[in-house]
Amino acid sequence: MSLTLFAHPFSSYCQKVLISLYENGTPFTMRLLDHQDPETLAEFHALWPLGRFPLLVDGGQLVAESSIIIEHLQLHHPGPARLIPADPRAALETRFLDRFFDNYVHTPLQKVVLDAIREPSQRDAKGVGDARAGLETAYAWLDRHMAGRDWAAGEQFSLADCSAAPALFYADWTQPIGAAF
């Protein structure tokens, strides 16, 4: 088995994949995406011109997008933790919550972060305000959803939790999760 992960350690989507790899003890080689290493960046962009990370290389197969990478790992390199349940209904809930964290937490938090690193004249106050409001709505929904639960979906750690942990960690930095939640 030869798995190579192109990733940046501060990316919530990369953290999501790293959690799944570590949870299952899956061996892999990390290729750190860093501007101090232009050769690795050039190799990454040659493989995946869209430039979004993470990117998994499994032998000669390229696998992009964090959720798809985790599904690929479960299918081709299963470990002791089944991150997507075998039961179709439980799998549907797990995938829904994965999408919830990606679309309603990861995406707005990235809007806030990317806006903060822009030149001040290029910033989008309305878009950032909308993103922050969206995060508050997501926090409220999630607070109700998680009442009485240990894990985001079902009775065990899953893909949904791989998505939740980094999303909520970084979201709390960009739009603090209030004491009410």
Side-chain angles (χ1 to χ4, degrees):
M1 167 174 40
S2 174
L3 297 175
T4 301
L5 182 69
F6 288 86
H8 190 281
F10 296 139
S11 162
S12 55
Y13 289 110
C14 294
Q15 288 292 326
K16 177 177 161 179
V17 172
L18 287 167
I19 290 168
S20 75
L21 287 163
Y22 292 135
E23 181 70 15
N24 275 311
T26 306
F28 69 101
T29 300
M30 175 78 155
R31 297 296 303 278
L32 183 64
L33 297 171
D34 184 341
H35 290 289
Q36 303 300 318
D37 183 358
E39 290 177 19
T40 298
L41 284 175
E43 180 183 353
F44 167 68
H45 285 288
L47 291 168
W48 189 235
L50 294 175
R52 298 293 182 125
F53 41 83
L55 176 68
L56 181 74
V57 181
D58 183 357
Q61 184 178 2
L62 302 179
V63 186
E65 299 294 330
S66 59
S67 299
I68 302 305
I69 291 170
I70 294 169
E71 294 237 17
H72 174 89
L73 290 168
Q74 181 165 300
L75 183 62
H76 297 287
H77 307 280
R82 185 170 179 90
L83 299 177
I84 300 156
D87 174 68
R89 286 187 173 91
L92 188 61
E93 179 187 16
T94 297
R95 287 184 177 101
F96 164 72
L97 284 158
D98 171 60
R99 303 314 314 137
F100 175 86
F101 287 109
D102 280 1
N103 292 322
Y104 304 113
V105 181
H106 281 265
T107 297
L109 84 84
Q110 285 187 325
K111 170 69 175 168
V112 175
V113 170
L114 293 174
D115 194 75
I117 61 176
R118 284 185 181 144
E119 293 293 325
S121 65
Q122 300 295 313
R123 291 191 179 149
D124 176 12
K126 167 92 170 86
V128 168
D130 291 348
R132 289 184 185 283
L135 282 168
E136 287 295 320
T137 300
Y139 295 161
W141 182 88
L142 188 58
D143 190 62
R144 289 188 305 275
H145 172 76
M146 289 301 299
R149 291 175 173 244
D150 291 325
W151 303 108
E155 300 296 319
Q156 63 188 26
F157 185 84
S158 72
L159 167 67
D161 302 291
C162 292
S163 188
L168 292 170
F169 176 76
Y170 287 121
D172 189 44
W173 284 4
T174 59
Q175 180 65 27
I177 300 170
F181 304 126

